[in-house]
C-alpha cells in the first residue's frame, strides 16, 4: 500500500459518517451494509443540506405535502430560499423546452360578467371548477363572495400569472357603499383584501402589475417567492385633450391607496367604449391602454405608464398605421412584446372582398413589425360552421389572446366558437363553445356573445404557485 | 472514454490515479474518471503544484468519507454517464430516464451515493442521484416520507389538520405508499 506523500487525510474533512442499517434491506444483497448500527446517524443528517436539493426536485404538490412531515421540514420548505431554489431548478431544466409553460385561458362574459369559460392547456394544474354552470363559484372561498350571492357587482378585473384581482361593490343604494379589491390565487385559495375605496361613478380602468425578483438576470430566471405589486386605478379624463391624468395607486410596499397625477405630452380623451372594452394590458411591468378619438370610436394610439420606474408621466405610442373608424383592432401580449390584432374594415379596390387580419409586434426600439397577415378566405377547417363564418360578410373573428408559448398561434372568437388559429398553416381548430348559464349557444347566430378584451385573462402557471403575502403593518 | 487496458502506450490522458477509501481499499481509476470528482481534481492539482505528481500513478488520494462499495458504484456510474441531465423532450424519454434512475437501488443506497457524490463534489452524479431519490418520494404520503427518512412527526394533530386544510389543493391524489 502506498501512502500519500505530503498530505494528511484530514484535509478532506474529519466528520466520519456511517451507514444506518435499514431492517427492510437484505444484508446479503447489500453486503456493504453489514456494519454497526448508529442510531444517531439518520438518513436526514447524512444528507445534511443536500436535502434541500432532493426536495426541490419534487413536483410542487409533493414538496408542499412534505411541509407537514415535521417542524424542521416545514421551515425548510416554507422558506423563500427553497422556493427560489425550486424555481431556479425548473428554469434550468425547461430552457430548451419553452412550449411547455402551463396556462389557462379564462373568459368572463355576458350578463353582468357572470359567465365563465375556462380553457386550461394540457399540462395545466389550475383546475378551476365552475360547477357546470360556468359561473364564478370557484371564487367562493373569498369573503367578498357573499356580495356575488347578493347579486351586487362582482367580477374579475385583472390577472397576473396565476393571481386574480377581483372587484366587488356594495352599491350606493346601500349605506355605507364601497368598492373593494381582492387579490387571490385560485389554486392555493390564498387571498388578500385591499383597503376599501368609495364607489366611483366615473369610468375607471384598472391595471394590476407585479414586479417579480430576478434570481438570475443572465438566465432570465424570475422567482415569485418575493414580489411587489401595484393596483392602478386610472380615472377617465373628464374633458377631451387632457394632459393631466388622475390615478389612484395601491402599492404593496405602503399598503395604501394614494392619489396621484400623471402628466402626458399628448392630450388624452375621456374613456369611452373602445378604451373601456379593451381594458388595461400589462407587459413587462408596464401598463398600456387605448386612447381613442373624442367619440370613442377610432383608436388614436396607446398610452404607456410604468408605475415602478417612471410614475410621474405617461408616454404615447402611435399605431403602426392610421386606423380607420371601421377597422377592428385589439391588443395583446406575446412573450414580453406588445402585439396588435387588426381587421381592416375597408377593402381596397384590388381586393377579393375577403376579410384579413394583421398581427403587428412592437419591437424593442419602439418600431412596429408586421408579423402575420392572414386572409380569412385562406383558412382551413373541417368544421362547416367555421368555414361559413370565415367567408361571411361581417368581420369573422375577434382576438381573445395570443398563445403564450407559440408565436404563430392565436386564440380567436368566431361566432360563438373559441378557436385556435395557426397563422402559418392557416388551420382553424375549435377549442370550445360559449355557453350562457350552462347552455351551449349556437355557433352561428345573428347575434353572438361579445367577449370583451378586458375580460379575457391568460393565466400562466409558475412552477411554484405565487403566494399572496399579507399587507405591511402600519 | 478511453480504456487503458487496450492502450499499449498510456498517454497523460489515460494516466491512472489511485483512490483510497474509508475501508482502506485502493481503486485505480482513469484520470478522466477521477477528474469528474472535483474534490479529487483539486487535491490532484494541488499535488501537481507541489511537484509530487512527477511520481505519476504512485499518488494515492485518500477518501476517508467514502466506502469502497459506494465508490465502486460511483465509478461505474461515471463510466456510463448519461449525455445530459436536462428534462427529456418527450414523455417517453422521461420514462426511460426514470427507469435508469430506478436501477440505482434502494433509497438507502441512494442516500449513500448522494452523500459521497456531495463529498466528492461530483456534480452530474449529485444531480442524477438527487433526482433518483426525489423519484422515490414523489407523490407519496407524508407518513411514507416520514418512515422513509426515519422522522417522527412533531406537529400537534390539530396543527397538522389545520395545515392540511390550508393546503388542501396539494393533498389531492396521493399514492398511499
Amino acid at each position: 500500500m502506498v501512502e500519500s506523500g505530503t498530505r494528511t487525510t484530514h484535509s478532506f474533512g474529519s466528520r466520519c459518517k456511517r451507514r444506518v442499517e435499514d431492517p427492510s434491506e437484505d444484508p446479503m444483497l447489500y453486503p456493504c451494509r453489514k456494519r454497526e448500527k448508529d442510531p444517531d446517524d439518520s438518513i436526514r443528517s447524512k444528507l445534511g443540506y443536500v436535502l434541500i436539493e432532493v426536495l426541490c426536485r419534487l413536483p410542487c404538490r409533493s414538496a408542499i405535502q412534505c411541509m407537514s412531515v415535521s417542524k424542521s421540514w416545514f421551515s425548510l420548505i416554507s422558506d423563500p430560499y427553497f422556493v427560489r431554489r425550486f424555481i431556479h431548478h425548473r428554469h434550468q431544466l425547461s430552457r430548451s423546452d419553452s412550449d411547455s409553460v402551463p396556462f389557462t385561458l379564462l373568459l368572463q362574459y355576458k350578463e353582468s360578467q357572470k359567465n365563465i369559460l375556462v380553457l386550461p392547456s394540457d399540462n395545466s394544474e389550475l383546475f378551476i371548477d365552475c360547477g357546470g354552470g360556468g359561473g364564478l363559484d370557484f371564487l367562493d372561498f373569498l369573503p367578498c363572495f357573499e356580495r356575488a350571492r347578493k347579486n351586487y357587482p362582482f367580477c374579475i378585473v385583472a390577472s397576473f400569472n396565476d393571481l386574480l384581482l377581483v372587484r366587488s361593490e356594495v352599491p350606493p343604494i346601500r349605506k355605507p357603499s364601497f368598492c373593494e379589491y381582492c387579490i387571490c390565487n385560485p389554486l392555493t385559495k390564498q387571498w388578500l383584501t385591499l383597503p376599501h375605496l368609495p364607489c366611483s361613478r366615473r369610468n375607471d380602468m384598472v391595471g394590476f402589475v407585479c414586479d417579480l425578483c430576478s434570481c438570475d438576470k443572465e438566465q432570465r430566471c424570475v422567482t415569485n417567492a418575493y414580489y411587489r405589486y401595484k393596483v392602478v386605478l386610472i380615472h377617465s379624463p373628464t374633458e377631451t385633450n387632457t394632459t393631466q391624468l388622475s390615478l389612484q395607486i395601491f402599492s404593496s410596499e405602503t399598503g395604501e391607496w394614494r392619489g396621484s397625477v400623471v402628466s402626458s405630452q399628448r392630450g388624452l380623451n375621456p374613456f369611452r367604449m373602445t378604451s373601456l372594452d379593451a381594458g388595461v394590458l400589462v407587459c413587462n411591468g408596464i401598463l398600456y391602454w387605448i386612447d381613442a378619438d373624442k367619440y370613442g370610436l377610432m383608436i388614436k394610439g396607446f398610452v404607456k405608464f410604468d408605475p415602478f420606474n417612471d410614475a410621474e408621466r405617461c408616454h404615447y405610442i402611435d399605431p403602426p398605421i392610421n386606423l380607420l373608424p371601421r377597422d377592428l383592432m385589439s391588443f395583446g401580449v406575446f412573450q414580453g412584446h406588445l402585439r396588435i390584432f387588426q381587421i381592416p374594415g375597408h377593402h381596397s379596390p384590388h381586393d377579393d372582398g375577403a376579410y384579413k387580419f394583421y398581427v403587428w409586434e412592437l419591437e424593442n426600439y419602439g418600431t412596429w413589425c408586421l408579423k402575420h397577415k392572414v386572409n380569412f378566405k385562406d383558412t382551413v377547417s373541417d368544421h362547416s360552421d367555421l368555414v361559413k363564418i370565415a367567408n361571411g360578410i361581417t368581420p369573422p373573428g375577434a382576438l381573445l389572446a395570443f398563445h403564450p408559448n407559440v408565436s404563430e398561434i392565436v386564440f380567436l372568437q368566431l361566432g360563438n366558437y373559441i378557436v385556435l388559429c395557426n397563422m402559418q398553416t392557416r388551420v382553424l381548430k375549435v377549442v370550445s363553445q360559449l355557453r350562457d348559464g350552462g347552455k351551449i349557444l349556437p355557433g352561428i347566430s345573428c347575434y353572438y356573445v361579445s367577449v370583451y378584451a378586458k375580460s379575457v385573462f391568460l393565466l400562466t402557471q409558475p412552477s411554484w404557485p405565487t403566494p399572496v403575502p399579507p399587507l405591511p403593518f402600519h | 472514454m478511453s480504456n487503458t487496458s487496450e492502450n499499449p502506450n498510456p498517454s497523460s490522458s489515460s494516466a491512472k490515479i489511485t483512490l483510497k477509501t474509508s475501508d482502506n481499499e485502493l481503486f485505480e481509476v482513469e484520470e478522466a474518471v477521477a477528474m469528474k470528482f472535483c474534490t479529487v481534481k483539486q487535491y490532484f492539482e494541488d499535488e501537481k503544484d507541489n511537484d509530487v505528481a512527477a511520481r505519476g500513478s504512485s499518488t494515492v488520494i485518500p477518501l476517508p468519507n467514502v466506502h469502497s462499495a459506494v465508490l465502486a458504484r460511483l465509478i461505474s456510474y461515471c463510466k456510463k454517464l448519461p449525455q445530459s441531465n436536462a428534462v427529456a423532450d418527450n414523455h417517453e424519454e422521461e420514462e426511460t430516464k426514470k427507469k435508469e434512475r430506478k436501477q440505482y437501488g434502494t433509497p438507502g443506497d441512494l442516500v449513500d451515493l448522494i452523500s459521497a457524490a456531495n463529498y466528492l463534489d461530483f456534480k452530474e452524479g449529485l444531480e442524477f442521484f438527487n433526482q433518483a431519490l426525489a423519484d422515490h418520494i414523489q407523490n407519496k404520503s407524508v407518513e411514507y416520507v416520514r418512515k422513509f427518512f426515519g422522522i417522527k412527526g412533531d406537529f400537534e394533530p390539530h396543527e397538522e389538520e389545520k395545515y392540511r386544510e390550508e393546503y388542501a389543493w396539494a393533498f389531492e391524489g396521493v399514492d398511499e405508499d
Side-chain angles (χ1 to χ4, degrees):
Chain A
M1 199 197 299
V2 191
E3 282 299 326
S4 67
T6 52
R7 292 289 169 110
T8 51
T9 55
H10 72 254
S11 61
F12 279 111
S14 52
R15 272 186 65 206
C16 177
K17 294 178 179 179
R18 292 186 204 145
R19 290 160 199 275
V20 185
E21 285 276 322
D22 189 335
S24 66
E25 286 168 13
D26 184 348
M28 292 306 284
L29 288 173
Y30 303 98
C32 64
R33 314 198 151 267
K34 278 193 280 179
R35 283 184 297 153
E36 61 183 297
K37 244 183 189 172
D38 185 347
D40 291 322
D41 191 9
S42 71
I43 289 179
R44 195 162 60 92
S45 68
K46 225 183 216 182
L47 284 175
Y49 69 90
V50 186
L51 179 62
I52 200 169
E53 292 300 312
V54 175
L55 296 181
C56 78
R57 282 164 175 77
L58 288 172
C60 171
R61 277 168 203 264
S62 279
I64 286 179
Q65 284 173 29
C66 282
M67 281 163 99
S68 66
V69 163
S70 72
K71 284 177 179 165
S72 72
W73 279 41
F74 183 88
S75 55
L76 177 77
I77 298 170
S78 58
D79 194 302
Y81 173 76
F82 178 84
V83 181
R84 239 175 63 195
R85 261 316 285 142
F86 182 94
I87 290 171
H88 193 74
H89 176 68
R90 293 306 125 114
H91 182 80
Q92 283 176 314
L93 291 182
S94 65
R95 265 184 305 163
S96 55
D97 196 13
S98 66
D99 60 350
S100 66
V101 176
F103 67 91
T104 298
L105 187 65
L106 194 153
L107 312 175
Q108 180 180 245
Y109 57 97
K110 223 188 161 204
E111 258 196 298
S112 45
Q113 306 282 304
K114 293 238 168 73
N115 277 305
I116 295 285
L117 181 69
V118 182
L119 302 165
S121 61
D122 293 341
N123 54 353
S124 174
E125 284 191 47
L126 192 62
F127 302 114
I128 291 177
D129 183 10
C130 296
L136 284 162
D137 288 355
F138 68 95
L139 295 174
D140 65 359
F141 63 92
L142 296 175
C144 58
F145 192 74
E146 59 163 305
R147 286 178 212 129
R149 291 205 178 94
K150 289 180 184 164
N151 274 325
Y152 292 165
F154 181 92
C155 61
I156 302 166
V157 288
S159 69
F160 193 94
N161 287 353
D162 52 342
L163 299 180
L164 294 175
L165 180 71
V166 175
R167 181 176 60 209
S168 65
E169 278 175 47
V170 174
I173 46 162
R174 295 262 166 178
K175 295 272 185 235
S177 74
F178 60 83
C179 168
E180 185 185 271
Y181 288 90
C182 179
I183 293 168
C184 68
N185 186 320
L187 177 66
T188 63
K189 299 189 168 38
Q190 275 189 311
W191 53 267
L192 171 80
T193 300
L194 306 187
H196 291 177
L197 284 173
C199 280
S200 166
R201 298 214 141 252
R202 294 161 74 178
N203 284 330
D204 293 334
M205 290 203 284
V206 63
F208 174 42
V209 55
C210 299
D211 181 30
L212 305 179
C213 293
S214 174
C215 84
D216 188 333
K217 283 216 164 75
E218 244 168 61
Q219 296 191 7
R220 299 175 67 194
C221 175
V222 288
T223 176
N224 57 2
Y226 302 106
Y227 62 98
R228 54 182 182 152
Y229 61 87
K230 289 185 196 277
V231 177
V232 182
L233 206 59
I234 311 154
H235 299 305
S236 169
T238 45
E239 289 164 26
T240 55
N241 217 17
T242 303
T243 54
Q244 302 280 308
L245 208 56
S246 144
L247 311 176
Q248 259 183 306
I249 301 179
F250 177 86
S251 158
S252 62
E253 287 159 301
T254 63
E256 294 175 335
W257 289 97
R258 278 191 197 155
S260 74
V261 173
V262 166
S263 65
S264 166
Q265 284 203 322
R266 208 77 80 85
L268 305 175
N269 287 324
F271 301 156
R272 294 191 201 282
M273 248 167 42
T274 308
S275 311
L276 294 170
D277 291 349
V280 178
L281 198 75
V282 173
C283 178
N284 288 339
I286 295 171
L287 307 180
Y288 296 88
W289 63 92
I290 286 174
D291 179 48
D293 66 355
K294 60 181 176 181
Y295 308 107
L297 293 173
M298 211 171 87
I299 293 170
K300 286 172 63 194
F302 306 93
V303 188
K304 174 183 173 188
F305 175 61
D306 181 347
F308 288 111
N309 305 306
D310 190 11
E312 308 285 300
R313 63 191 72 82
C314 53
H315 298 272
Y316 207 89
I317 300 170
D318 288 308
I321 44 160
N322 280 330
L323 294 165
L324 298 165
R326 280 173 56 197
D327 286 356
L328 291 178
M329 208 226 67
S330 33
F331 63 171
V333 174
F334 175 72
Q335 293 187 351
H337 290 277
L338 193 66
R339 278 188 173 189
I340 288 180
F341 175 92
Q342 178 210 354
I343 300 182
H346 291 264
H347 304 300
S348 76
H350 338 277
D351 249 347
D352 53 3
Y355 282 100
K356 299 171 188 64
F357 71 84
Y358 300 88
V359 171
W360 302 82
E361 191 169 294
L362 189 62
E363 302 205 313
N364 289 337
Y365 300 100
T367 48
W368 290 102
C369 167
L370 182 63
K371 284 276 172 187
H372 297 278
K373 180 181 172 185
V374 177
N375 190 328
F376 276 107
K377 270 226 159 78
D378 300 336
T379 56
V380 191
S381 170
D382 49 15
H383 201 294
S384 61
D385 279 2
L386 292 191
V387 177
K388 257 185 232 165
I389 298 168
N391 292 289
I393 50 162
T394 51
L399 170 76
L400 294 171
F402 294 102
H403 193 288
N405 303 321
V406 190
S407 174
E408 63 269 15
I409 292 184
V410 65
F411 282 95
L412 301 179
Q413 183 191 353
L414 265 73
N416 285 323
Y417 291 109
I418 307 301
V419 172
L420 264 181
C421 168
N422 185 319
M423 297 184 277
Q424 232 143 52
T425 61
R426 315 260 191 272
V427 173
L428 302 177
K429 211 176 95 193
V430 172
V431 185
S432 186
Q433 207 170 344
L434 294 172
R435 294 158 180 264
D436 186 8
K439 205 176 77 203
I440 292 186
L441 293 167
I444 306 188
S445 74
C446 49
Y447 68 101
Y448 58 81
V449 176
S450 291
V451 182
Y452 299 117
K454 68 165 181 193
S455 303
V456 176
F457 306 101
L458 190 71
L459 305 176
T460 49
Q461 193 191 319
S463 50
W464 190 270
T466 308
V468 182
L471 291 176
F473 262 118
H474 286 298
Chain B
M1 217 166 284
S2 64
N3 188 339
T4 45
S5 61
E6 289 163 13
N7 190 344
N9 293 315
S11 65
S12 63
S13 69
S14 58
K16 295 219 168 186
I17 288 177
T18 310
L19 304 174
K20 188 176 136 196
T21 59
S22 61
D23 50 340
N24 290 329
E25 272 188 45
L26 293 180
F27 282 78
E28 212 177 56
V29 294
E30 286 158 39
E31 187 178 324
V33 171
M35 290 305 113
K36 295 257 180 213
F37 307 144
C38 294
T39 306
V40 171
K41 191 178 173 193
Q42 190 60 48
Y43 187 95
F44 185 71
E45 279 167 5
D46 288 352
E47 291 288 275
K48 249 185 193 162
D49 292 343
N50 294 343
D51 217 0
V52 186
R55 283 192 280 161
S57 63
S58 65
T59 312
V60 171
I61 299 180
L63 303 172
N65 283 348
V66 184
H67 191 268
S68 57
V70 179
L71 186 63
R73 303 192 67 181
L74 280 183
I75 290 168
S76 89
Y77 170 75
C78 241
K79 286 186 173 164
K80 53 176 180 179
L81 201 59
Q83 289 300 308
S84 147
N85 277 318
V87 145
D89 290 341
N90 56 51
H91 188 68
E92 211 172 289
E93 238 175 90
E94 177 56 27
E95 285 303 304
T96 324
K97 288 204 167 178
K98 237 181 197 168
K99 265 186 208 146
E100 201 181 304
R101 289 199 292 265
K102 265 205 170 141
Q103 291 170 358
Y104 279 84
T106 66
D109 290 343
L110 284 169
V111 171
D112 288 337
L113 287 164
I114 289 169
S115 63
N118 186 40
Y119 167 73
L120 292 169
D121 199 3
F122 171 34
K123 294 203 171 54
E124 294 105 319
L126 198 53
E127 172 75 39
F128 181 87
F129 298 121
N130 278 339
Q131 187 61 56
L133 187 56
D135 287 350
H136 274 284
I137 56 171
Q138 80 170 40
N139 303 326
K140 298 292 187 194
S141 68
V142 172
E143 290 71 29
Y144 178 93
V145 177
R146 277 189 194 136
K147 214 169 119 196
F148 178 81
F149 281 96
I151 296 171
K152 241 185 123 190
D154 51 0
F155 279 112
E156 296 291 330
H158 71 273
E159 284 177 320
E160 199 174 322
E161 191 55 38
K162 195 176 145 241
Y163 175 83
R164 284 189 182 228
E165 250 167 55
E166 197 179 324
Y167 290 90
W169 64 274
F171 284 89
E172 291 156 8
V174 187
D175 305 351
E176 290 298 325
D177 307 338

